[in-house]
Amino acid sequence: EDYRRMSLISEEFSESNLNPLDLLEELVLANEWPFDRASEDELVVEANGRWCDYRLFFVWREDLNALYFTTVFDSRVAEEKRLEVVELTALVNEKLWLGHFEVGSEDGLPLYRYTMLARGRNSVSIEQLEDLVDIALLECERFYPALQFVVWAGRTPNDAIASAMMETMGEA
């Protein structure tokens, strides 16, 4: 599967005073994902998933020692379905350990969001970044079928999450 990490990073990086986006860029290159480094503090990556494509946004705030990360789905939720999808995201968020899902109030784009704090360290490790991306993409892949059950099949959020979780368990 395209979204699985590849630990092909050949060089060891010093963790002192390193911008985590430099490490992320190495991870992205190893996975051969298209990306754009808009600035020293911003990175945008395209990743293919099983159900849809994702756009990953990373922003490094050196003043906060924080890495802000968002994975946006390549699909919009129609305004008439947003309330049900917001209810679904609340149900899904109860089951998450890291990050949360939401739907953009203006654009209707579903997304997964997480902020990693690195206070007390000068940067984050490549393993932390690999885990961050892996977890986000795996959770998005798990959430997508439930989202589609609500948006396209007209299921209730409770039915959609039950069906999606059952399907996920059946594929294991």
Side-chain angles (χ1 to χ4, degrees):
E1 294 171 322
D2 292 67
Y3 63 88
R4 292 275 185 207
R5 73 170 179 241
M6 296 178 181
S7 294
L8 300 176
I9 298 168
S10 57
E11 297 179 21
E12 290 295 321
F13 290 91
S14 166
E15 293 182 14
S16 62
N17 294 319
L18 186 64
N19 182 334
L21 298 187
D22 296 336
L23 285 174
L24 273 165
E25 198 170 312
E26 292 296 319
L27 177 65
V28 167
L29 287 168
N31 281 286
E32 299 180 353
W33 290 330
F35 72 97
D36 181 36
R37 183 81 180 257
S39 73
E40 278 299 305
D41 299 327
E42 296 179 25
L43 177 68
V44 179
V45 178
E46 302 286 332
N48 298 324
R50 178 177 175 190
W51 307 107
C52 71
D53 294 333
Y54 301 103
R55 181 168 284 177
L56 291 66
F57 295 93
F58 301 90
V59 178
W60 173 243
R61 289 275 311 263
E62 188 172 359
D63 60 326
L64 297 175
N65 250 352
L67 179 65
Y68 172 81
F69 171 55
T70 302
T71 303
V72 179
F73 290 69
D74 185 23
S75 62
R76 293 189 192 285
V77 175
E79 198 164 328
E80 61 271 9
K81 292 286 187 177
R82 285 193 197 155
L83 190 56
E84 291 172 295
V85 172
V86 166
E87 184 180 339
L88 174 66
T89 60
L91 293 170
V92 170
N93 286 339
E94 290 176 357
K95 299 177 183 325
L96 295 179
W97 277 55
L98 297 172
H100 68 275
F101 285 101
E102 60 185 75
V103 178
S105 59
E106 292 184 21
D107 57 17
L109 289 172
L111 59 92
Y112 173 88
R113 183 186 311 210
Y114 183 75
T115 301
M116 177 187 291
L117 299 174
R119 192 170 79 96
R121 301 187 61 172
N122 291 329
S123 189
V124 295
S125 71
I126 190 65
E127 293 84 6
Q128 287 175 298
L129 297 172
E130 287 175 338
D131 289 347
L132 174 69
V133 172
D134 278 352
I135 290 167
L137 292 175
L138 288 170
E139 292 296 354
C140 288
E141 292 286 284
R142 280 184 359 135
F143 175 69
Y144 190 84
L147 174 68
Q148 293 306 306
F149 285 150
V150 169
V151 172
W152 296 109
R155 296 255 186 92
T156 67
N158 283 320
D159 288 346
I161 197 168
S163 295
M165 292 308 210
M166 191 178 318
E167 278 190 14
T168 301
M169 287 172 50
E171 291 178 12

